[in-house]
Amino acid sequence: MANLKTDYLIIGNSAAGVTAAEQIRAHDEGASITVVSREPYPAYGRPLISYLIEGKTAEEKIWLKPAGFYEDQRIEALLGPEFEVVELDPEPHEARLANGQRVAYGKCLLATGSVPFTPPIKGLAGKGNVCTFITLDDAKAAWDMAEQVTKAAHAQGRESRIMVIGAGLIGLKAAEALSYHADEILVLELAPRILPAVLDAEGAAVLQGLIGEHGITCSPGVSASELLGEGERITGAVLTNGEEVSCDMVVAAVGVRPNSALAVSAGAAQGRGLICDEALQTSLPDVYAAGDVVQVTDVLDGAERPLALWPNAMRQGRLAGLHMAGAAEAEPYRGSFAVNAVDFFEASLLTAGVINPAADAGCEVRVIAEGARYAKFVTRAGRLVGYILLNRPENAGIYTWLIEHEVLLDELDERIFEEAPANLDFSQKTRWERLHKCYPADRDERGWKERA
């Protein structure tokens, strides 16, 4: 089989990889770009797979780019299991595909994303009615299985039950989507609250009540200690509280890990994700990384960890592409902070930054709760460093901007937390900076060019 040669090899065809490819093409018009992925689909919005299963969107609306994107951008897209990169050889700058082909590259981007973490629960491995919920194929398989088990349960004169192990964002979105195709959803979570990484105890209790109105039972503080079954099928579980429950299928959504095995096998340095410099280059020559696979510095607390969020993947993909193409505007990547925007049925949830500060972190906390609306603001040294907005989405972007730009809050009205701030609440100088951040640097606020 003939070998291939490309100037830029991008391994991964989601947010980070496609964004990087666009930036490379914009700054290196004559280069050859090759995108490879084991998934057979054009780039799609992973956050949309739950909405597809719910029936809130159609498959033709989940694609990130219009038809003809790869051809128009002159990107060679090799998509499918046979094109999965199974070996990376950094010295000769080559990658080996599952079909045996070798691809020689000038520069390479690892945008391989995350893989689901399989919990070491007795009786889980090797069962046929266990699903994950990371990819489009995962979601389609879970959807099909949910409809099959529900049909079978109804034929037996009983209701169907799906057990979801894990109440993080992936687990709860899977629970929401599958609730349209099964009678009961039981969500287990070993942590003492649902969404432990993005909510506090009070906010989690409010949200748990809201999604409980839709037939989803959440059991925080409880997980499965053993899964029971006959042959290849799980039929129930023994829980950590000693209770025994039945189920027709299981969704394993305990969490994800960086899909870094390919790079680590090639010698790349890894902490909690791949370690990159400010140009997003790994320790391997001419090999860059972006997205869920990268270890990120949290600019608010200094922690080093992966940040498996869509906006971060797009930002890193953009910067990695600029650096790979040698673009003049390629700024250094020095870290980020978590920003989440998600909805569950009719409830909206937005969170950012530090939401559960340590007692000795020097933070002040303000909570505003009323019925199904819950807001929490965390400040430190007179600056906003985190928030939770449950069913209070108004002007959330301004709160995020306050965190990102470390704005001192003393210039704003003291009611900033009770009522979402508007542009006119800021000083004239700050309004100018916010509204004209892309304005030419040599112009004043009147639009006049500054004199030397």
Side-chain angles (χ1 to χ4, degrees):
M1 189 171 293
N3 291 332
L4 305 174
K5 185 175 182 180
T6 187
D7 295 316
Y8 299 96
L9 173 64
I10 298 176
I11 305 174
N13 185 41
S14 192
V18 171
T19 303
E22 285 186 299
Q23 293 298 322
I24 291 170
R25 174 56 70 223
H27 293 84
D28 195 343
E29 295 185 1
S32 54
I33 303 173
T34 302
V35 172
V36 298
S37 172
R38 76 176 313 278
E39 289 194 77
Y41 308 106
Y44 62 90
R46 292 189 191 279
L48 298 177
I49 61 175
S50 64
Y51 299 107
L52 176 66
I53 306 311
E54 290 178 50
K56 291 182 177 179
T57 191
E59 187 164 330
E60 61 267 21
K61 294 183 178 180
I62 71 171
W63 312 121
L64 291 183
K65 301 298 177 183
F69 164 77
Y70 299 97
E71 293 81 3
D72 293 344
Q73 293 288 311
R74 290 176 287 117
I75 296 169
E76 184 173 10
L78 305 178
L79 309 177
E82 68 272 28
F83 299 114
E84 179 181 9
V85 177
V86 295
E87 182 183 3
L88 187 66
D89 196 344
E91 289 303 322
H93 284 45
E94 285 187 351
R96 182 167 61 86
L97 307 182
N99 63 10
Q101 283 183 295
R102 301 191 73 85
V103 182
Y105 62 84
K107 293 181 180 179
C108 175
L109 175 69
L110 295 164
T112 46
S114 299
V115 291
F117 168 67
T118 302
I121 299 174
K122 183 179 179 181
L124 178 64
K127 300 300 182 180
N129 58 338
V130 177
C131 296
T132 53
F133 207 82
I134 302 295
T135 68
L136 178 57
D137 281 342
D138 290 342
K140 287 181 174 181
W143 182 5
D144 183 59
M145 189 179 299
E147 293 195 329
Q148 288 183 31
V149 300
T150 297
K151 182 179 180 179
H154 290 177
Q156 298 170 14
R158 61 178 181 84
E159 293 189 330
S160 61
R161 176 184 287 162
I162 297 174
M163 184 167 65
V164 179
I165 304 177
L169 287 170
I170 294 173
L172 285 188
K173 290 306 292 183
E176 178 186 1
L178 295 174
S179 71
Y180 290 84
H181 306 285
D183 299 308
E184 298 179 18
I185 308 290
L186 172 63
V187 181
L188 307 177
E189 172 55 57
L190 193 57
R193 61 179 180 273
I194 64 171
L195 296 179
V198 298
L199 273 178
D200 61 0
E202 189 173 352
V206 174
L207 181 60
Q208 182 174 330
L210 293 174
I211 64 177
E213 297 174 0
H214 294 269
I216 297 176
T217 301
C218 296
S219 296
V222 178
S223 190
S225 60
E226 181 180 357
L227 297 175
L228 309 173
E230 301 173 358
E232 295 184 355
R233 299 191 64 81
I234 293 170
T235 58
V238 178
L239 306 184
T240 52
N241 62 3
E243 183 182 355
E244 186 171 320
V245 297
S246 63
C247 67
D248 295 287
M249 63 177 280
V250 174
V251 178
V254 173
V256 295
R257 289 180 173 176
N259 187 14
S260 59
L262 176 71
V264 172
S265 295
Q270 176 171 249
R272 296 181 64 182
L274 294 181
I275 297 174
C276 297
D277 62 17
E278 292 184 347
L280 289 166
Q281 184 170 347
T282 71
S283 60
L284 302 176
D286 294 316
V287 176
Y288 296 72
D292 298 5
V293 75
V294 175
Q295 175 177 289
V296 174
T297 300
D298 190 312
V299 296
L300 297 176
D301 63 14
E304 302 280 352
R305 56 175 172 262
L307 194 59
L309 298 171
W310 193 263
N312 183 64
M314 294 191 69
R315 182 187 173 208
Q316 286 191 343
R318 174 183 173 273
L319 289 177
L322 290 172
H323 283 289
M324 292 170 73
E329 63 265 41
E331 60 191 56
Y333 180 80
R334 296 193 174 98
S336 189
F337 60 91
V339 179
N340 293 280
V342 66
D343 61 73
F344 298 99
F345 300 103
E346 296 82 20
S348 67
L349 175 63
L350 301 108
T351 71
V354 179
I355 57 172
N356 287 295
D360 59 352
C363 294
E364 297 182 4
V365 174
R366 179 176 301 199
V367 171
I368 303 168
E370 181 181 356
R373 287 167 62 90
Y374 177 82
K376 177 180 181 178
F377 300 95
V378 181
T379 59
R380 182 175 60 212
R383 295 176 172 86
L384 185 66
V385 294
Y387 66 76
I388 296 172
L389 297 172
L390 177 57
N391 287 327
R392 208 191 104 170
E394 299 82 12
N395 284 350
I398 292 181
Y399 290 123
T400 305
W401 185 87
L402 291 173
I403 297 173
E404 184 178 2
H405 293 272
E406 302 180 347
V407 176
L408 281 169
L409 301 180
D410 57 8
E411 75 168 70
L412 297 171
D413 190 289
E414 61 183 12
R415 295 172 299 172
I416 179 177
F417 300 121
E418 284 76 13
E419 300 177 8
N423 282 325
L424 291 178
D425 294 326
F426 294 91
S427 68
Q428 183 179 3
K429 177 178 181 295
T430 301
R431 291 202 306 271
W432 170 262
E433 292 173 349
R434 288 194 69 241
L435 297 175
H436 299 82
K437 60 184 178 181
C438 297
Y439 204 71
D442 63 348
R443 305 296 174 104
D444 65 17
E445 62 185 46
R446 298 166 297 179
W448 295 356
K449 190 175 180 69
E450 294 178 358
R451 293 182 179 180

